[in-house]
Amino acid sequence: MNLNISDLAPLPDDVFVIDPVIHAFNLSRENIASRFGEQLYGMSYGLHANFSPPHATIEKEIYLTDMPIDVLIDTIFLETQTDLAATHTLTLHSWFKDGFCSRAKTERALEIAPQRVLAYLGVDPTEELEAVIADLESQHAAAPSAVGLKLYPHQVDPYRRWRADDEKVLRLIEHALSLGIKTTGIHKALPNGSVPLESYRIEDMEIAADAFPQMNFEIIHSGMAFVEETAFAISRFPNVYANLETTTALLYAAPGRFADILAQFLFWGGPEKIIYSSGCTVVHPQHLLSLFWDMTFDDAVMKRSGVGQLTPEIKRAILGQNYARMLGLNLEELRGGFAGDVYERRRGDEGLAAPWSSWRASGNGQPAS
């Protein structure tokens, strides 16, 4: 597909967009910690280059650097119609020395744009519970407004996995709840290299979701694999949501596949259980937002899947309303808090900046610290 930004219309101004998964990766070569990190280093740019239209693809020598967090914040709020975003601390320490996106970046993001940025803390459940709890409490003390907990299902060298229904992990989730954390996002469906697929299945989340109805659970990368299992989970558990991080890239790379995935989720879970996310910096968000707003189901998809046509109401729910409801956020209050801030002023005065222009202007990233 050859897509030019001039072909895409922006969203209506009154659509409130929340992107719950963004991250400023450290893809400097010095940050690689293992052969699995080497794989993910290459895989990350491969996803970016193959799942992005030409106008939204950044040069490899820029992408494969340590992206500054202030550049990510400018990218999201000056180059896209995103209103609110959540940055994640990533704990892939056996892949990357700083975990892929350090806690320092999360804390800095809250300083840069506290009214527009939410935070997910990240810990490694393969460690001893006492160490995991201490790490969580330390991160929370530095970022007490954090709304989420981000978890990866295993570590490597050696391979060691955990399950969400392990007693240790259930105790971790219980402790996160006690700190006021409202949602737990678990990376699923998209394997991080040549690792066993079993860790990326979603069934282990179900006992945890049943045990803690006060905690919301996001199946991150929903739809990249295990589509039916995910659809059944979001239909059966009121606190389980399909987070479309990276899956939204299929809007450009494989639109028919994306339509089938979305239709299954809508048939089983309904529109209120689906959450948009871009996964920026894997792909740039703005063309995805325009493609999603323009998206319709063809007759074959509706007949095959038993769903009706996508409506503006369904799209608004997926783009922001569902996530806001999940966390108890008031969109009108949030919109009022943004009024007149630097991002609103600049977008109003200058229009949206070109994709990745903030990154290109920054000096091609930072060396590893």
Side-chain angles (χ1 to χ4, degrees):
M1 182 186 297
N2 186 13
L3 183 67
N4 189 287
I5 193 168
S6 63
D7 300 327
L8 299 174
L11 277 63
D13 289 339
D14 64 342
V15 176
F16 197 102
V17 177
I18 302 176
D19 193 335
V21 191
I22 63 171
H23 18 49
F25 293 142
N26 182 351
L27 279 165
S28 61
R29 288 207 61 84
E30 295 83 358
N31 194 38
I32 297 172
S34 67
R35 63 187 177 93
F36 296 98
E38 185 76 39
Q39 289 177 3
L40 192 52
Y41 173 85
M43 174 182 164
S44 182
Y45 188 75
L47 284 171
H48 172 73
N50 288 292
F51 282 19
S52 299
H55 81 273
T57 304
I58 195 165
E59 296 82 357
K60 188 174 185 179
E61 61 269 22
I62 299 178
Y63 190 89
L64 294 177
T65 59
D66 183 3
M67 186 189 203
I69 187 63
D70 61 310
V71 170
L72 176 65
I73 299 304
D74 284 350
T75 298
I76 287 294
F77 297 126
L78 296 179
E79 301 175 16
T80 87
Q81 290 180 277
T82 305
D83 297 293
L84 183 72
T87 185
H88 292 212
T89 296
L90 308 183
T91 55
L92 290 165
H93 288 110
S94 50
W95 280 264
F96 297 101
K97 296 171 185 176
D98 75 352
F100 209 15
C101 189
S102 67
R103 64 176 281 185
K105 289 184 176 180
T106 298
E107 293 164 13
R108 175 60 181 155
L110 293 175
E111 295 175 357
I112 296 169
Q115 76 281 16
R116 287 188 181 263
V117 174
L118 305 174
Y120 282 55
L121 312 178
V123 297
D124 175 12
T126 68
E127 297 180 355
E128 294 296 324
L129 179 62
E130 293 75 12
V132 178
I133 294 295
D135 189 9
L136 179 63
E137 289 183 340
S138 173
Q139 292 184 47
H140 186 263
S145 64
V147 299
L149 176 64
K150 176 66 172 288
L151 303 175
Y152 283 90
H154 68 92
Q155 295 288 337
V156 291
D157 274 356
Y159 174 76
R160 51 205 189 275
R161 68 166 299 191
W162 54 270
R163 289 176 54 91
D165 51 9
D166 290 344
E167 178 61 28
K168 177 174 72 170
V169 180
L170 293 174
R171 289 176 61 187
L172 168 62
I173 294 168
E174 183 177 39
H175 195 77
L177 266 174
S178 74
L179 295 175
I181 290 171
K182 298 180 179 180
T183 186
T184 297
I186 303 180
H187 179 114
K188 293 288 188 178
L190 187 63
N192 287 323
S194 59
V195 292
L197 188 60
E198 61 175 350
S199 294
Y200 298 87
R201 302 189 66 87
I202 64 97
E203 291 85 349
D204 62 307
M205 297 178 67
E206 296 178 342
I207 288 177
D210 183 63
F212 297 106
Q214 317 96 306
M215 177 68 81
N216 299 295
F217 291 85
E218 299 172 63
I219 303 172
I220 307 293
H221 305 297
S222 283
M224 294 299 278
F226 315 121
V227 176
E228 288 190 348
E229 293 89 339
T230 300
F232 292 153
I234 65 174
S235 72
R236 289 156 48 231
F237 296 93
N239 56 335
V240 175
Y241 293 80
N243 183 305
L244 300 177
E245 183 205 342
T246 306
T247 310
T248 51
L250 300 178
L251 278 159
Y252 166 75
R257 181 181 294 273
F258 182 83
D260 284 335
I261 292 166
L262 185 62
Q264 284 209 51
F265 290 168
L266 288 168
F267 180 82
W268 290 107
E272 68 276 5
K273 300 303 293 297
I274 305 168
I275 295 171
Y276 158 81
S277 180
S278 71
C280 184
T281 56
V282 175
V283 289
H284 195 279
Q286 184 56 32
H287 68 279
L288 301 180
L289 292 172
S290 294
L291 286 170
F292 183 69
W293 191 255
D294 288 345
M295 180 182 176
T296 58
F297 287 139
D298 62 30
D299 291 342
V301 169
M302 290 190 286
K303 183 176 181 179
R304 182 168 61 246
S305 300
V307 297
Q309 189 54 266
L310 285 173
T311 65
E313 291 74 24
I314 290 174
K315 294 173 183 178
R316 288 174 188 272
I318 292 171
L319 286 172
Q321 292 172 356
N322 292 340
Y323 187 82
R325 185 185 64 255
M326 183 183 78
L327 291 191
L329 304 175
N330 185 305
L331 294 185
E332 291 308 311
E333 289 182 3
L334 287 169
R335 197 186 298 275
F338 302 155
D341 74 0
V342 62
Y343 304 105
E344 184 177 87
R345 292 198 309 272
R346 287 188 60 182
R347 291 198 318 208
D349 293 343
E350 305 166 15
L352 292 181
W356 305 123
S357 56
S358 301
W359 204 353
R360 290 188 176 104
S362 73
N364 295 12
Q366 296 176 331
S369 58

